[in-house]
Amino acid sequence: MSADLLQTPLHALHLELGAKMVPFAGYAMPVNYPGGIMAEHRQCRESAALFDVSHMGQLRLPDAPAAAAALETLVPADIVDLAVGKQRYTQFTNASGGILDDLMITRREDDLFVVVNAACKADDLRHLQTHIGHRCQIVPLPDRALLALQGPQAVTALQRLNAGVAALTFMTGGHFVLAGVDCFVTRSGYTGEDGFEISVPAEAAVDLARQLLAQPEVKPAGLGARDTLRLEAGLCLYGHDIDTTTSPVEAGLAWSIQKVRRPGGARAGHYPGAATIEKHLAGAAPSKRVGLVGLERVPVREGAVLHDAHGHKLGHVTSGTLAPTVNQPIAMAYVAINHAHPGNEVYADVRGKRLPMRVCAMPFAPHRYQR
């Protein structure tokens, strides 16, 4: 592995636990531990799994009211009305309505707390500084690690460290003392399960991780299980299922654009690509992200071209796997809008063989958030 790769504060712990390390977004990250991806996937679905997501970018924007007004010029979501303690998912968009990155924003008492993707964080910081740096401060938080504790038993484990976390509901957050230090905890994650993301000072991350791994419900999990879990949950991975060429509406993320930011709303538009996205909201999107279930037991991977029954190209697969929980091949793909209806059959080209797949509703595995 390249010596140039960055390391998270948990790097030595990953090695101690026997992780297989791989390059990911410029970091050396664990793809799985000795038990394997399937076991880690099931651990998360049945109990609780601990993921290191410290490679992701964490930022704070002080002076929340001013920062929220400024941030709304870069994203299509309602940030101004976000209440203290509430979290929201949105996207940075470009002038043509494509997605530069997707991000999570939490309104805190005095600031906005923002989490962005690892591969995009340098570009995101430049984007923020360039366009709203004159209106608000943008403060990177490289001195903090980020842990994700996910699964139906996550709350049981975490509340032994601080009982207060049980009061959080999905997409809310607050400050809690864990392992003797102030952490910012949100009840959120990217697996479709109940769970928490914990922003912790980097120097305290290993101690907190060890305390969590000492809980009987918790085992470590790597990037491999994180990918199969989020795919079963129907959640997009930036750079795969969404990118600069896909609008939030094509990606099936129109739900993340609140009424107040849509045409006719009090603060409609005035973000990059608004004209295109508003046309897509009105029904003019040329394609749509769909879920696919394989009708033969062969996994269909990212990049596979999709055709109709007559051989006409319809689109391409953006993520695919043999899903551990639903026990069948699943995929996400973009197809022409007239082929996006559930029940439609398409054909994936896999090494010259046409494999039938059926368009289906997502998620593939039910979300189990604590609402």
Side-chain angles (χ1 to χ4, degrees):
M1 197 178 306
S2 169
D4 297 333
L5 290 173
L6 299 170
Q7 299 177 357
T8 74
L10 298 181
H11 185 81
L13 179 60
H14 296 316
L15 298 180
E16 178 186 321
L17 295 171
K20 178 183 178 183
M21 305 298 285
V22 297
F24 184 80
Y27 283 79
M29 296 296 293
V31 66
N32 64 268
Y33 297 85
I37 293 173
M38 290 284 280
E40 292 168 19
H41 182 109
R42 293 196 179 98
Q43 173 73 21
C44 187
R45 287 275 184 256
E46 295 167 4
S47 187
L50 183 67
F51 301 84
D52 178 14
V53 288
S54 303
H55 58 310
M56 300 184 76
Q58 300 181 67
L59 311 164
R60 62 181 291 267
L61 279 59
D63 187 0
L71 200 53
E72 279 200 3
T73 66
L74 298 180
V75 304
D78 174 8
I79 308 302
V80 167
D81 298 328
L82 194 59
V84 173
K86 298 287 188 182
Q87 187 177 42
R88 185 152 282 162
Y89 168 82
T90 188
Q91 311 85 33
F92 290 128
T93 52
N94 63 21
S96 57
I99 300 171
L100 295 170
D101 194 11
D102 60 342
L103 61 149
M104 301 289 280
I105 300 168
T106 309
R107 171 70 185 269
R108 303 194 293 198
E109 192 68 43
D110 300 319
D111 60 14
L112 299 179
F113 175 66
V114 178
V115 178
V116 301
N117 282 298
C120 302
K121 61 185 177 183
D123 289 340
D124 289 344
L125 184 57
R126 278 193 291 271
H127 185 64
L128 286 163
Q129 293 284 14
T130 300
H131 295 287
I132 64 172
H134 60 295
R135 298 179 60 180
C136 63
Q137 270 188 286
I138 298 116
V139 183
L141 301 172
D143 55 345
R144 297 189 75 85
L146 193 65
L147 306 181
L149 182 66
Q150 297 283 294
Q153 297 300 314
V155 65
T156 303
L158 190 59
Q159 68 182 355
R160 288 196 198 100
L161 276 60
N162 188 321
V165 299
L168 292 175
T169 55
F170 184 56
M171 300 293 276
T172 66
H175 288 274
F176 297 89
V177 174
L178 301 170
V181 297
D182 177 58
C183 297
F184 187 71
V185 181
T186 58
R187 200 156 188 169
S188 59
Y190 229 58
T191 61
E193 296 293 335
D194 183 24
F196 302 86
E197 293 201 340
I198 306 165
S199 175
V200 53
E203 67 274 13
V206 170
D207 185 37
L208 176 58
R210 288 190 188 280
Q211 291 197 33
L212 291 170
L213 290 169
Q215 306 303 314
E217 300 86 359
V218 182
K219 291 184 178 177
L223 294 174
R226 189 163 178 261
D227 194 52
T228 54
L229 288 158
R230 70 92 193 164
L231 214 169
E232 285 187 338
L235 301 174
C236 297
L237 180 63
Y238 191 78
H240 298 260
D241 310 294
I242 49 176
D243 59 28
T244 55
T245 69
T246 54
S247 82
V249 180
E250 291 176 292
L253 303 174
W255 56 267
S256 67
I257 306 174
Q258 288 72 36
K259 188 176 179 181
V260 71
R261 302 302 311 277
R262 297 185 179 212
R267 299 193 309 281
H270 301 291
Y271 58 88
T276 299
I277 292 170
E278 289 174 357
K279 288 178 185 173
H280 287 186
L281 284 169
S287 65
K288 184 180 178 183
R289 180 175 64 96
V290 298
L292 299 172
V293 173
L295 303 182
E296 295 183 10
R297 198 172 169 76
V298 178
V300 178
R301 306 294 185 186
E302 178 180 356
V305 175
L306 298 171
H307 296 96
D308 67 12
H310 305 287
H312 300 121
K313 183 178 176 181
L314 297 176
H316 66 281
V317 169
T318 54
S319 294
T321 191
L322 185 60
T325 304
V326 300
N327 195 30
Q328 55 187 344
I330 61 170
M332 295 197 287
Y334 282 87
V335 297
I337 200 76
N338 60 335
H339 286 269
H341 302 293
N344 281 1
E345 286 193 14
V346 300
Y347 296 86
D349 186 339
V350 178
R351 296 184 295 276
K353 185 178 180 182
R354 281 165 33 111
L355 297 175
M357 306 190 83
R358 181 171 293 140
V359 177
C360 67
M362 292 188 284
F364 300 100
H367 292 164
R368 298 196 288 185
Y369 304 132
Q370 180 67 30
R371 296 187 185 277

